[in-house]
Amino acid sequence: MDTAVNLPRRLNFSSALRSPWLHPLNDAQTWDQVLSALNPMWSTRDYPARVIEIVEETGDTRTFVLRPGRRWPGHTAGQHVVLEVEIDGRRLHRCFSLSSAPTRDRRVRITVKRQPGARVSGWLHDRVRVGDVLRLSASNGHFAPPAGDQPLLLLSAGSGITPLMAIVEDLQARGDARDVVFLHACRTPADFIFEGRLRELAASRPGFDLRVHFSAQVGRLDAATLARELPDFARYQAMVCGPRGLTEGIEDLYRAAGVPDQVRSESYSGRVLPRTGAMELSHAVHCSVTERVFTARADSSLLSEAEAFGLTPAHGCRIGICKTCQCTKRSGTVENLRTGEISSEPDQLIQLCVSVARSPLELVL
């Protein structure tokens, strides 16, 4: 006669390790806090970096020279990092382009313009001193010129100059001798970030043409200005970093010239939504983790609407680059403000900072 034997189920060690009974021994954040208390340069989650120098670039812009720990995987020119800081007991994340090329000593620079009312840039200017430790993510991004000898147009406005400075330094370090037109826009001569280094390059490097556009004197830089300043722009590979209006204008200019693939752009501001009747709609957003429900206007990002409701989703750049605010959309339809892409399939990853509701939603928040 067959006898049924009840064998114990195979132990799921992965689930066991996540058991609340083991808290805080199984909590990575707790261990990270312990390690940081012993040595601020120790971490299991991110990459601590010590501030070794602070450079005053302009009256409202500072460069923080950092030396990351050995675990930091390095970067390429044009990439960015997410910086984590703790202000009033709350961890905040912001995305910054690295303003330096890779070096043997692995030093990196982030250049921060103080923004009125901005908590993180103000905190960095007011509180950070040489010797302090900041926390970085791994580097990310693909904003880099193609290989070859095609002349480059590097075009920036305001703090958009930071990744282009890294690209210029990298060209110099690698002995890349291609011709470069560097066109930078800022309000006044006092606002010209990296002026000394760029003017030195213009004086010493053959084929480096530096042009500065002071908008307070001659108006805002746009695509029409570029076409007048550089009539043969279409023969240049363009690298553009600045506000969305500028990058889109340059993209349109190259598209009209029949060479849309010869422009690469990075913007530090999101696309502005036109206000139409449809945009006045609001949609219910159900958060499946916190079991909260809020109403999101269709003309505002899901991140802004969640924050207005009192939620605190993780976020960094707020412009769709760093992906810190990425979460899963269980159901519903959203539009990506950067790309115009519509997402209606279930269980898709979306970025809260550049997504707007186009229907009722369920999010894993």
Side-chain angles (χ1 to χ4, degrees):
M1 181 177 68
D2 293 334
T3 303
V5 178
N6 294 321
L7 295 175
R9 293 182 180 178
R10 185 171 55 187
L11 183 62
N12 188 327
F13 286 100
S14 178
S15 298
L17 289 174
R18 292 194 298 268
S19 169
W21 293 99
L22 293 178
H23 187 81
L25 296 177
N26 60 352
D27 183 65
Q29 183 171 337
T30 299
W31 280 108
D32 198 66
Q33 291 171 347
V34 171
L35 289 173
S36 296
L38 295 172
N39 185 331
M41 290 297 291
W42 291 350
S43 176
T44 60
R45 298 186 305 118
D46 49 25
Y47 302 98
R50 192 175 298 279
V51 180
I52 59 175
E53 185 181 0
I54 300 175
V55 180
E56 298 284 345
E57 301 289 356
T58 69
D60 61 1
T61 304
R62 289 182 177 179
T63 290
F64 298 88
V65 184
L66 310 173
R67 181 181 288 124
R70 294 180 180 179
R71 289 180 53 248
W72 194 64
H75 77 291
T76 58
Q79 289 190 308
H80 58 266
V81 294
V82 176
L83 184 71
E84 178 187 282
V85 299
E86 185 171 326
I87 302 176
D88 298 330
R90 181 180 174 188
R91 293 194 177 194
L92 302 176
H93 301 81
R94 294 295 183 270
C95 184
F96 292 100
S97 294
L98 294 166
S99 57
S100 57
T103 59
R104 289 185 178 180
D105 62 11
R106 292 171 51 81
R107 296 184 182 189
V108 297
R109 298 196 305 261
I110 60 170
T111 300
V112 182
K113 181 180 177 68
R114 183 195 288 269
Q115 303 292 342
R119 297 185 69 187
V120 173
S121 66
W123 185 87
L124 289 169
H125 277 247
D126 295 338
R127 300 290 297 275
V128 173
R129 301 291 183 264
V130 171
D132 290 348
V133 173
L134 302 177
R135 306 174 84 84
L136 308 178
S137 70
S139 58
N140 201 356
H142 306 282
F143 186 60
D149 57 3
Q150 183 179 8
L152 291 176
L153 167 63
L154 305 181
L155 195 157
S156 59
S159 56
I161 196 172
T162 52
L164 298 185
M165 188 70 232
I167 288 171
V168 167
E169 287 189 351
D170 188 55
L171 294 174
Q172 190 79 350
R174 294 188 290 105
D176 189 319
R178 75 181 91 180
D179 289 345
V180 175
V181 172
F182 198 121
L183 176 57
H184 177 62
C186 54
R187 279 189 48 77
T188 69
D191 298 310
F192 187 4
I193 304 170
F194 308 133
E195 178 181 15
R197 271 176 278 172
L198 287 171
R199 293 205 185 280
E200 182 181 336
L201 273 173
S204 62
R205 173 178 167 140
F208 189 85
D209 180 2
L210 177 64
R211 309 183 188 190
V212 189
H213 181 100
F214 297 119
S215 57
Q217 301 172 7
V218 296
R220 183 169 294 180
L221 175 64
D222 56 18
T225 307
L226 173 62
R228 290 194 303 270
E229 287 260 347
L230 194 67
D232 61 342
F233 68 87
R235 77 182 187 90
Y236 289 82
Q237 170 68 50
M239 305 290 298
V240 189
C241 188
R244 174 62 64 182
L246 176 63
T247 59
E248 289 184 343
I250 301 303
E251 290 167 357
D252 290 343
L253 181 67
Y254 270 72
R255 191 176 299 110
V259 286
D261 294 337
Q262 285 187 199
V263 58
R264 298 183 181 183
S265 65
E266 191 166 88
S267 173
Y268 51 73
S269 60
R271 181 164 66 90
V272 177
L273 281 172
R275 295 191 67 87
T276 67
M279 294 295 181
E280 302 296 336
L281 295 175
S282 297
H283 300 289
V285 180
H286 174 237
C287 305
S288 62
V289 176
T290 60
E291 290 298 329
R292 307 283 296 277
V293 177
F294 67 92
T295 299
R297 301 196 325 269
D299 64 346
S300 181
S301 75
L302 287 168
L303 176 60
S304 297
E305 294 297 277
E307 289 176 329
F309 181 70
L311 299 178
T312 57
H315 65 276
C317 65
R318 304 187 77 95
I319 57 173
I321 296 176
C322 71
K323 299 184 180 180
T324 305
C325 67
Q326 195 171 66
C327 78
T328 299
K329 172 179 62 68
R330 288 291 188 213
S331 64
T333 299
V334 300
E335 179 181 353
N336 185 303
L337 296 181
R338 295 191 77 213
T339 65
E341 181 181 356
I342 301 295
S343 167
S344 297
E345 295 296 319
D347 297 321
Q348 287 190 324
L349 286 174
I350 64 168
Q351 292 170 265
L352 297 174
C353 69
V354 291
S355 295
V356 291
R358 291 289 176 259
S359 77
L361 302 171
E362 181 181 351
L363 304 179
V364 181
L365 278 180

